[in-house]
Structure formats: C-alpha cells, structure tokens
Amino acid sequence: MDKCRESFEQLPEIKDSLSENIVFVVNKYTTANEGFYDLVNWLNGGWYTWQSRRAELDQAYEDIETFAQAHQRECGIKVQIANELKEKDKRIESQSNCIENLVIQKSDYLDKVTKAIAHLDSFDHSKASINKLQRSIECALEALRGEHEA
C-alpha cells in the first residue's frame, strides 16, 4: 500500500467506512456487493479529492524547497560578495598606508636635499664645482617631485 493511500485510509471517517466487502483495485475502491455501491462511490470521490489535494501539497512543498534553495544560493552569493568587498577594502587601506608612507619619505628626502643645497652655499669651494654639485642635487629634487623628463 502506498503512503498516500495509507494516510487517506487512516482518516477517521474513511477508516470507519472500510470493510471486507470493499477492495482497492488499480486506483479505485470497488465492491461486488450492490449494497455498498453508494459507499464505494463516496470513497472514490474522497480518494480522488485526496489525491488531487496531495498533489497540490506536494507541488507547494516542492516550490518552497526550490525557493529555499534559491534563497540559500542568493545568500551565499551575498556573503561571498561582502567578503570580497572586505578584502578589497583591506587592500585599499594597505595601499593607502603605503602611499602615505612614501609621501612622508619623499618629503623627508626633499627637506634633506634642500638643506644640503643651502649648506653648499656656505662653503668656499670653486664656483664651478659647487654649481655642478648643486645642479645634480636640483635634478635629483626634480626627479623626486616627478618633474624630470622621460
């Protein structure tokens, strides 16, 4: 006996109506006794309705399961995207810190080179040698500022 028919026959009204004079053949109730024809017709009407409602319920459960699976996949994708965004935010923060450190270092180098140039003016060396050294330092400064030619 299949589970659908078994659950149908466990309904109190149906259980009380079944007897040894009524048998289930193929997909319907039948009897050889004329006195049970009306009861058999009533049972078959209930059985067909039960099957129809059962099919609707099964379809509803299937739809709910499909929806739940789709929702679960969607949530998984959203979590994955959120994690990827967090990783990108971490990389951006790291790059931002690196750039900030480079700017600070470049500023320190520029200050040191500027002081070195100012210090050169106070020495009494040959003017040509100082000019050559000063020009080299100025080229280095321009390069640090990004002003040098490619």
Side-chain angles (χ1 to χ4, degrees):
M1 176 183 314
D2 70 30
K3 289 183 179 189
C4 185
R5 191 175 120 219
E6 187 176 309
S7 59
F8 173 72
E9 289 183 355
Q10 291 304 311
L11 294 171
E13 298 84 6
I14 303 301
K15 192 175 191 176
D16 293 343
S17 300
L18 293 174
S19 73
E20 66 274 349
N21 294 315
I22 299 171
V23 292
F24 190 83
V25 179
V26 184
N27 192 33
K28 67 178 185 174
Y29 292 94
T30 188
T31 186
N33 190 328
E34 286 182 33
F36 289 91
Y37 286 164
D38 288 340
L39 182 58
V40 165
N41 286 334
W42 178 80
L43 283 170
N44 283 326
W47 170 238
Y48 300 142
T49 303
W50 179 266
Q51 285 179 303
S52 172
R53 295 292 182 228
R54 190 74 209 176
E56 289 172 6
L57 280 175
D58 290 345
Q59 183 61 50
Y61 286 130
E62 236 178 84
D63 292 346
I64 289 169
E65 182 64 28
T66 301
F67 174 78
Q69 289 172 355
H71 180 68
Q72 189 174 16
R73 279 192 304 272
E74 184 179 317
C75 287
I77 290 169
K78 286 179 180 179
V79 166
Q80 181 182 357
I81 289 170
N83 289 338
E84 288 174 5
L85 287 174
K86 286 178 186 175
E87 284 300 315
K88 285 182 181 179
D89 286 347
K90 287 178 186 175
R91 288 195 304 266
I92 289 170
E93 182 68 26
S94 174
Q95 291 298 320
S96 177
N97 290 339
C98 286
I99 291 170
E100 187 176 317
N101 288 337
L102 286 173
V103 167
I104 290 169
Q105 287 175 0
K106 186 175 179 181
S107 176
D108 288 345
Y109 291 139
L110 287 173
D111 288 345
K112 289 177 183 177
V113 170
T114 303
K115 286 178 184 176
I117 291 171
H119 193 51
L120 280 177
D121 289 338
S122 66
F123 283 101
D124 273 339
H125 295 288
S126 74
K127 194 72 171 164
S129 176
I130 291 173
N131 285 341
K132 186 176 180 182
L133 184 56
Q134 191 172 8
R135 183 64 196 139
S136 295
I137 292 171
E138 286 173 357
C139 285
L141 277 171
E142 289 173 0
L144 283 171
R145 288 190 210 106
E147 299 172 358
H148 63 286
E149 294 182 21

